[in-house]
Amino acid sequence: MSPARKRRVRLVVALSAAVILASALIYTSFSAASPTVTPSQLAHEGVAGRSYQLTGTVKAGSVRHEGDTLYFSVQDRAGEASVPLSYTGTVPDPFREGREVIVTVEKQGDSYVGERNSLITKCPSKYTVTPSKTKTY
Amino acid sequence: MAQLGGACLILALAVCAYGIGASLYGVRTGRPEWSESGRRSVYALAGILTVAFMVLELAFLRNDFSFNTVADTSSATTPTFYKAAAVWSSQEGSLLLWAWLLSLWSTLILFLTRKRMRDVSAYATAILLGFGGFFIGLMVFYATPFATTDPAPAEGVGLDPLLRHPSMMIHPPMLYSGYTLCIVPLAFGMGALLARKVDAEWIKATRRFAMAAWLFLGIGIMLGARWSYSELGWGGYWGWDAVENASLMPWLCATAFIHSLMIQEKRGMLKVWNVSLVLATGTLAIMGTFLVRSGILSSIHAFGGQTLGVPFVILIGVLILSSIYLVSTRRDMLRSEHRLDSLLSRESIFLANNVVLVGLCFVIFWGTYFPLISEALTGHEASVGPPWFDRYTVPLALILVLLSGIGPVIAWRRATLANARRNFVIPLSFALVTLAVLLATGVADSKPFALAMFCCAAFVLGSVGQEYWRGVRVRRAIAGEPAPLALMALVKRNRRRYGGYVVHIGIAVLFVGVAASSSFQHASELSLSPGQSTKVGAYTVRYVRPTASVTPKYDPVHTGSTLSLGAILDVTKQGKHVTTLTPAEDFYDSGEPAQGSVAHLIGGQPVSQVGIDGGIKRDIWSAIAPDIDTPRLKRIIEIGNKTIPLVRPDEGMIAVAVMAREYMRSPPPAEFHLIISPLVMWIWIGGAIVAGGALIALWPAPSVVRARVSVRARSRAARRLARA
Amino acid sequence: MSVLAAMLTLMLLAAVMAVVSRPLLVARKPEESDTPRRSELEAEREAKYREIRDAELDYRTGKLSQEDYEAVNGALRAEAVQILDKLESSEGGPESSDSEGDGKVEGDQAVEEDRAPDPAK
């Protein structure tokens, strides 16, 4: 085989391998992903046995500790719908009522159970743009 | 003074506009004085932004709360170090820092290349000023650091306690230095494409800056990981969070770029790879800067709420489109001068290295932006978690480490097969011995990836060690020096090679730490009462007694907490005392009087003080979440809220002191999170080795010859060389 | 705007304009002893010298057999001579140019110094 031909073969093999691997990657990402939902979406579409990424704010007055388990409700960011859940695992420091959270939950029977150690709480807002107040120059 | 700052920004914007025009005019019409003027506008920009930055910094240090930024992120009681660093904890301040750093690096490289590469640097100047103008424009039109309120509030909100940690203050400037340094090679890459001069000069100018960008980014990433581990209460150092990934991606591309640049230097190959990599690195750096401050991806850094999103998306779009355009229209001059001579050559290893690194970057990119991708493709937003990332990055990382051990042993151009086989004996035996030992001692049972990583790391150690050994031997044959001197001379004369080898060792050490600490961790989360103990891994941890202090006098990191509740933990192994840990939870003033006169004193966001005993072989990590909601403590707060007036915080603190004493007297069970992680320290050690190696490689070569040699003499020398 | 701020701004403006307009007003002597071609060739030359040293180091640390080394070495040196020829003909000027602009010339002497007793013996 001439060197040029050899090179072309190598290139084709390499590219095909790359395409195959990339496809495998892309395929598994869709099946391994858990959908991001808000409380209202979850209440409507939640299916038992699937896990979801629930995002929203911690509902005021809903936080309760019982032994190892933390009970709280996640509320829509802009709205009233909320979903109560139980959670065990690490609770990040910034966690409190009114804070934005993401937690992986699974519907078990009629209630939602948070996946262990999946609770993420928003870092204090460093980068929201506050409308600049009186410009005095 | 805010007015001066604001005026500086407007002046800076004007200078950017002028500089772009002058540089482009100069290069298109062939009038160097205009290009020179354009370059000087970069110097002027650096000067203006320095003034602006100083104005802001002084405002912080002087507690000038008329500045909105100062009032929002600092307070009179914030310790000075954190005041100085609070400048970049806000959106506006961080934009200013970014623009200022960019102007500094731009000044540096333009000054260093002022006598060369006229065309390329003129275009690069215009591009750098374009970026500067973008960020300054963002400040002037969207988020100015110099907005004021009149009358000024008496006290500021203060720096978030979570950020009151030295590494958190150094992390942003380091990371920003890394990001902005990535823009410089990008600008020169685009400039080279525009001027149609992607050649040896370009390589020479770009290489050092690319390495510096790589170094600073790497340090920034390490600091972030370290902060996450030692400050946040989850005990991990890497969570595949969007912002972590955002800084890792340009770093990976920069790594690939640095390596494959060497091939272009030697063989004129991989030109398309190189310009694509340098453009990708810069674009990913901009995307990283954007991710951190926008709400586009949910992560611990930002949730929902678009901020500054649109301008950035436009910029990124422009970058991607112009990169594609430039590379495709300059295809002809990017053709390789040579082909790969042999598969058994360092060139081909580097090519494989490129592929693996880009593959890693792609995996991380896909996973990070998956919420957006899935939303676009399927209409439903979904995200992938750490297990998915791990599944794909771990094998790739293994291959990477392996390659870094193979590369040093193979020669450039075409290695001799017999020699190569011989050269692999020692590294392979290191790996096999390690394998045998680990299998025999059963240490790495059921953890195949960790086992593989340990063997690969041993391979690298053997390979690099062999290189150093042989190199010293060569040196001694030449110069007859004793070994230590020979070693130093060897490294001095071949900084790139031997510095690079050190980096490879550092990476191997780092990955050993990662593999060990993630695969062999013992963690435990449980509730303990004083006196109780539990077993974690090979250690026994006993909750000796609680600790409580009010406005701790000894506040090592000056965090200014009002109440600190913690525990004394006694750690023993097989009966022998190992260490004493004192994790705690610090409570802060929330600044919201509505909570109640006593409640607000401790109502602010609490911060975990992690108790760590770091060691070469393992880290013992502990965190506590004390129960502050017991009926007794709640009662104290209630009574205090009712009886103590808001305007008497000192009396409120007495109530807090009563709480502390009550906690000590009848401590409720507390939640503990305990982790034994082997070899975590090696991650930081590995990182330090990598930085050291990078510095060696970066250092300018010794000026071997100071004599000015005439051209004739040189050509005579050349003929001699050719004939020798 | 306060008077102080206004004055400082004006000073800054003046400084900026002075810096930026200097090359336009002051005719600089054409310091182009370095034509683009020349500095490009010098960069190539440095790179080629580094390759020669690397090849020798590769040989001496046992990665290349003697035959392979001599082949590579010969090829590299021939390429180096080509570059030097081009350099000589491009300007013909007698003085060396500083590619770093700092009075130092690396390269050939570095190669000479590193050479041990000839490996071809």
Side-chain angles (χ1 to χ4, degrees):
Chain A
M1 229 193 277
S2 73
R5 186 99 186 282
K6 258 203 268 191
R7 266 197 295 271
R8 202 166 305 141
V9 168
R10 265 186 249 156
L11 185 63
V12 167
V13 168
L15 278 178
S16 320
V19 167
I20 293 176
L21 288 173
S23 320
L25 183 95
I26 293 174
Y27 179 73
T28 58
S29 61
F30 280 100
S31 49
S34 41
T36 311
V37 291
T38 58
S40 38
Q41 288 174 325
L42 188 61
H44 282 172
E45 308 165 353
V47 168
R50 277 203 72 179
S51 69
Y52 298 88
Q53 299 270 67
L54 179 62
T55 74
T57 56
V58 180
K59 183 168 176 183
S62 69
V63 179
R64 198 175 87 237
H65 279 273
E66 260 179 38
D68 273 350
T69 316
L70 175 69
Y71 294 90
F72 62 100
S73 295
V74 179
Q75 191 175 23
D76 271 347
R77 227 171 265 138
E80 288 305 317
S82 69
V83 166
L85 60 114
S86 60
Y87 171 82
T88 45
T90 326
V91 178
D93 288 331
F95 177 84
R96 53 192 33 226
E97 292 170 5
R99 278 277 158 85
E100 298 205 37
V101 293
I102 306 179
V103 57
T104 311
V105 296
E106 195 181 304
K107 186 169 185 177
Q108 287 177 4
D110 268 334
S111 60
Y112 293 94
V113 177
E115 189 181 297
R116 205 179 164 84
N117 291 339
S118 68
L119 179 60
I120 301 180
T121 312
K122 172 185 177 177
C123 239
S125 97
K126 301 202 293 180
Y127 289 141
T128 50
V129 179
T130 46
S132 34
K133 300 164 199 158
T134 342
K135 279 194 193 179
T136 53
Y137 59 88
Chain B
M1 272 310 142
Q3 299 152 349
L4 177 60
C8 279
L9 289 183
I10 297 186
L11 185 57
L13 200 54
V15 167
C16 285
Y18 169 74
I20 294 175
S23 308
L24 288 177
Y25 180 70
V27 77
R28 305 297 290 213
T29 58
R31 300 176 64 178
E33 62 273 14
W34 284 96
S35 306
E36 175 75 20
S37 181
R39 181 175 333 120
R40 280 161 159 259
S41 7
V42 174
Y43 303 166
L45 182 68
I48 299 171
L49 289 178
T50 307
V51 171
F53 193 80
M54 272 171 28
V55 166
L56 191 59
E57 187 72 60
L58 280 172
F60 270 89
L61 292 173
R62 278 175 25 222
N63 293 324
D64 186 346
F65 297 119
S66 64
F67 282 69
N68 292 357
T69 312
V70 181
D72 285 339
T73 55
S74 178
S75 65
T77 54
T78 308
T80 311
F81 175 65
Y82 294 106
K83 263 189 219 168
V87 171
W88 50 78
S89 65
S90 66
Q91 170 89 285
E92 307 84 14
S94 64
L95 286 174
L96 182 56
L97 178 67
W98 209 100
W100 181 54
L101 286 172
L102 182 67
S103 69
L104 291 179
W105 309 132
S106 307
T107 302
L108 185 60
I109 195 173
L110 287 174
F111 181 75
L112 289 174
T113 57
R114 66 193 181 284
K115 295 215 181 100
R116 305 176 273 148
M117 294 169 51
R118 299 292 154 107
D119 290 355
V120 175
S121 64
Y123 284 115
T125 305
I127 295 173
L128 288 168
L129 286 172
F131 278 103
F134 176 82
F135 278 81
I136 298 172
L138 282 181
M139 281 191 280
V140 169
F141 296 113
Y142 285 92
T144 175
F146 299 109
T148 52
T149 312
D150 193 19
E155 172 64 297
V157 167
L159 188 64
D160 190 290
L162 207 55
L163 302 174
R164 294 187 213 180
H165 185 262
S167 6
M168 257 336 262
M169 287 297 111
I170 307 176
H171 167 76
M174 271 292 152
L175 215 46
Y176 278 17
S177 300
Y179 281 147
T180 48
L181 277 165
C182 287
I183 304 296
V184 169
L186 169 91
F188 271 79
M190 282 194 164
L193 283 170
L194 283 166
R196 294 184 178 269
K197 285 217 181 94
V198 182
D199 55 20
E201 267 203 295
W202 170 72
I203 293 176
K204 194 169 141 172
T206 305
R207 201 194 122 246
R208 280 233 168 77
F209 264 81
M211 281 210 68
W214 179 89
L215 179 62
F216 278 90
L217 255 187
I219 295 179
I221 294 172
M222 286 259 94
L223 283 177
R226 171 83 196 158
W227 174 77
S228 171
Y229 175 72
S230 57
E231 279 310 298
L232 296 184
W234 70 294
Y237 43 80
W238 192 264
W240 293 115
D241 182 76
V243 291
E244 295 173 316
N245 301 344
S247 54
L248 185 57
M249 287 189 276
W251 186 87
L252 290 170
C253 283
T255 310
F257 177 65
I258 293 170
H259 283 89
S260 81
L261 199 59
M262 285 190 237
I263 299 195
Q264 182 173 339
E265 199 179 20
K266 290 178 184 293
R267 313 282 289 129
M269 289 160 51
L270 302 189
K271 291 185 188 180
V272 175
W273 265 104
N274 286 334
V275 292
S276 308
L277 281 171
V278 79
L279 294 175
T281 306
T283 308
L284 286 167
I286 294 284
M287 288 175 86
T289 307
F290 161 59
L291 249 188
V292 167
R293 64 189 62 247
S294 84
I296 212 159
L297 287 174
S298 298
S299 85
I300 59 169
H301 244 256
F303 279 35
Q306 305 284 327
T307 52
L308 292 192
V310 173
F312 266 104
V313 169
I314 296 178
L315 175 64
I316 292 169
V318 164
L319 279 176
I320 296 178
L321 288 174
S322 50
S323 304
I324 296 177
Y325 171 75
L326 280 175
V327 174
S328 43
T329 54
R330 266 79 174 157
R331 268 199 321 279
D332 45 328
M333 63 168 235
L334 293 173
R335 228 166 263 152
S336 289
E337 289 162 32
H338 295 96
R339 300 267 167 220
L340 206 57
D341 274 348
S342 151
L343 271 186
L344 186 67
S345 62
R346 206 175 272 191
E347 283 89 337
S348 98
I349 305 285
F350 275 36
L351 189 54
N353 183 54
N354 263 15
V355 169
V356 173
L357 282 166
V358 169
L360 252 181
C361 191
F362 177 73
V363 167
I364 297 176
F365 185 91
W366 186 263
T368 306
Y369 289 97
F370 192 71
L372 296 174
I373 296 173
S374 64
E375 174 115 41
L377 291 180
T378 67
H380 293 291
E381 193 185 322
S383 56
V384 290
W388 184 90
F389 280 100
D390 286 339
R391 198 185 319 159
Y392 294 99
T393 55
V394 168
L396 286 173
L398 274 171
I399 300 178
L400 207 57
V401 173
L402 195 60
L403 284 175
S404 76
I406 296 179
V409 178
I410 310 272
W412 289 104
R413 282 208 187 198
R414 184 187 289 120
T416 314
L417 184 57
N419 291 43
R421 279 206 288 248
R422 237 193 354 247
N423 291 337
F424 276 121
V425 168
I426 293 191
L428 264 179
S429 41
F430 268 59
L432 290 174
V433 164
T434 307
L435 180 64
V437 167
L438 289 177
L439 283 178
T441 58
V443 164
D445 275 349
S446 79
K447 303 273 192 216
F449 280 118
L451 186 61
M453 186 57 86
F454 294 146
C455 296
C456 286
F459 182 82
V460 172
L461 198 61
S463 156
V464 171
Q466 179 181 251
E467 277 298 293
Y468 264 92
W469 176 262
R470 289 195 180 162
V472 169
R473 225 176 38 191
V474 166
R475 183 78 206 151
R476 296 187 71 182
I478 294 179
E481 297 160 329
L485 280 180
L487 179 63
M488 275 179 48
L490 179 73
V491 173
K492 245 171 69 172
R493 295 172 148 285
N494 297 284
R495 281 169 206 264
R496 280 212 245 169
R497 181 183 285 224
Y498 288 94
Y501 289 165
V502 171
V503 171
H504 286 187
I505 295 232
I507 296 279
V509 168
L510 194 151
F511 273 110
V512 165
V514 169
S517 60
S518 36
S519 301
F520 302 106
Q521 217 183 58
H522 293 279
S524 180
E525 279 164 56
L526 77 170
S527 193
L528 286 177
S529 294
Q532 285 186 318
S533 53
T534 180
K535 209 155 168 1
V536 188
Y539 296 84
T540 307
V541 179
R542 188 169 67 94
Y543 177 7
V544 178
R545 58 179 174 83
T547 62
S549 55
V550 173
T551 310
K553 266 216 197 106
Y554 176 57
D555 187 1
V557 283
H558 307 295
T559 55
S561 73
T562 47
L563 172 66
S564 177
L565 298 177
I568 296 187
L569 297 174
D570 181 56
V571 182
T572 53
K573 185 172 180 182
Q574 291 166 346
K576 276 202 341 212
H577 173 77
V578 173
T579 184
T580 308
L581 297 172
T582 53
E585 181 107 1
D586 289 348
F587 297 91
Y588 291 85
D589 193 335
S590 68
E592 285 162 40
Q595 288 179 336
S597 55
V598 174
H600 85 82
L601 287 173
I602 51 160
Q605 178 194 298
V607 173
S608 233
Q609 294 300 331
V610 169
I612 298 185
D613 180 62
I616 280 287
K617 291 207 290 207
R618 85 295 170 279
D619 270 25
I620 308 178
W621 187 98
S622 66
I624 183 177
D627 190 358
I628 205 177
D629 287 330
T630 62
R632 276 217 167 100
L633 292 173
K634 273 193 169 142
R635 187 134 174 73
I636 297 174
I637 298 178
E638 260 176 54
I639 299 178
N641 281 346
K642 282 202 204 112
T643 57
I644 297 177
L646 260 175
V647 294
R648 305 288 277 275
D650 44 331
E651 287 182 24
M653 285 308 291
I654 296 180
V656 174
V658 171
M659 284 178 70
R661 205 181 54 175
E662 174 61 36
Y663 187 82
M664 289 290 288
R665 225 180 30 178
S666 51
E671 288 282 317
F672 286 93
H673 190 179
L674 304 164
I675 308 178
I676 313 279
S677 295
L679 303 189
V680 175
M681 182 84 46
W682 291 39
I683 301 176
W684 322 124
I685 295 177
I689 297 177
V690 166
L695 280 175
I696 295 177
L698 255 180
W699 216 256
S703 32
V704 174
V705 174
R706 290 190 183 270
R708 297 175 73 103
V709 181
S710 80
V711 170
R712 287 195 180 285
R714 282 213 312 280
S715 62
R716 255 182 276 132
R719 307 245 182 276
R720 267 208 320 269
L721 293 178
R723 251 180 268 127
Chain C
M1 247 184 130
S2 82
V3 175
L4 179 60
M7 274 179 47
L8 288 172
T9 310
L10 281 174
M11 279 168 52
L12 202 53
L13 181 62
V16 166
M17 300 207 53
V19 166
V20 159
S21 55
R22 187 144 185 274
L24 300 173
L25 304 173
V26 176
R28 304 270 291 280
K29 69 164 174 68
E31 34 163 273
E32 322 276 309
S33 52
D34 301 359
T35 62
R37 185 71 187 128
R38 189 178 186 83
S39 37
E40 155 63 16
L41 283 172
E42 283 173 354
E44 272 186 43
R45 180 195 59 191
E46 271 180 56
K48 193 56 63 181
Y49 283 157
R50 184 172 283 118
E51 265 195 270
I52 294 175
R53 289 177 59 203
D54 272 343
E56 178 161 3
L57 196 54
D58 277 351
Y59 168 65
R60 296 182 147 279
T61 51
K63 301 188 190 89
L64 286 174
S65 67
Q66 186 157 341
E67 295 170 42
D68 280 345
Y69 171 58
E70 281 171 4
V72 164
N73 197 22
L76 285 175
R77 286 171 190 272
E79 288 165 23
V81 168
Q82 275 184 352
I83 298 177
L84 287 172
D85 280 343
K86 280 191 220 156
L87 256 177
E88 210 180 306
S89 61
S90 81
E91 274 282 320
E95 73 304 309
S96 75
S97 18
D98 300 344
S99 35
E100 296 275 5
D102 55 2
K104 305 183 200 110
V105 178
E106 338 170 17
D108 14 318
Q109 235 134 308
V111 179
E112 289 287 328
E113 266 194 34
D114 258 355
R115 295 191 70 218
D118 201 318
K121 289 214 193 75

